Amino acid sequence: MSGSRVSSSDAWKARAHSVRDRFAASGTNISEWAREHGFSVSLVQAVLTGKRRCRRGESHQIAVALGIKDPASPPGRPETPSEQLEGIRP
């Protein structure tokens, strides 16, 4: 295996770090953002630190809202703009 290869875990950490940097640069408080968007503050922190895998449920929704993951609709269900969270992605 090549040492220069980036694992998906490393890519995830880089995206999460980028989001934390955007919060810092904009002066936005992560806890405040979580409450404004109806998310658990501790769960948002867990997503940003990589403690949650964000495969489904609220942690997945948080990762999508933060721009860490791309939105995806369930198999067999078409993706429509009304199904996506609005006003959250940077």
Side-chain angles (χ1 to χ4, degrees):
M1 237 191 220
S2 171
S4 64
R5 190 169 180 199
V6 178
S7 72
S8 61
S9 175
D10 290 338
W12 175 268
K13 288 176 187 176
R15 288 189 301 269
H17 185 73
S18 173
V19 169
R20 288 193 303 271
D21 287 347
R22 286 196 329 253
F23 273 112
S26 69
T28 303
N29 182 291
I30 294 171
S31 299
E32 184 179 312
W33 181 91
R35 285 189 290 273
E36 286 175 1
H37 292 90
F39 294 126
S40 159
V41 173
S42 61
L43 194 51
V44 171
Q45 293 287 359
V47 167
L48 288 172
T49 58
K51 293 179 181 176
R52 293 300 296 245
R53 294 183 69 176
C54 306
R55 294 180 132 183
R56 60 188 162 274
E58 189 174 0
S59 60
H60 172 80
Q61 292 173 347
I62 291 167
V64 170
L66 291 170
I68 296 172
K69 289 183 78 173
D70 291 329
S73 54
R77 186 170 166 205
E79 187 173 318
T80 64
S82 63
E83 292 175 333
Q84 297 177 8
L85 297 173
E86 294 181 16
I88 298 175
R89 289 193 70 155

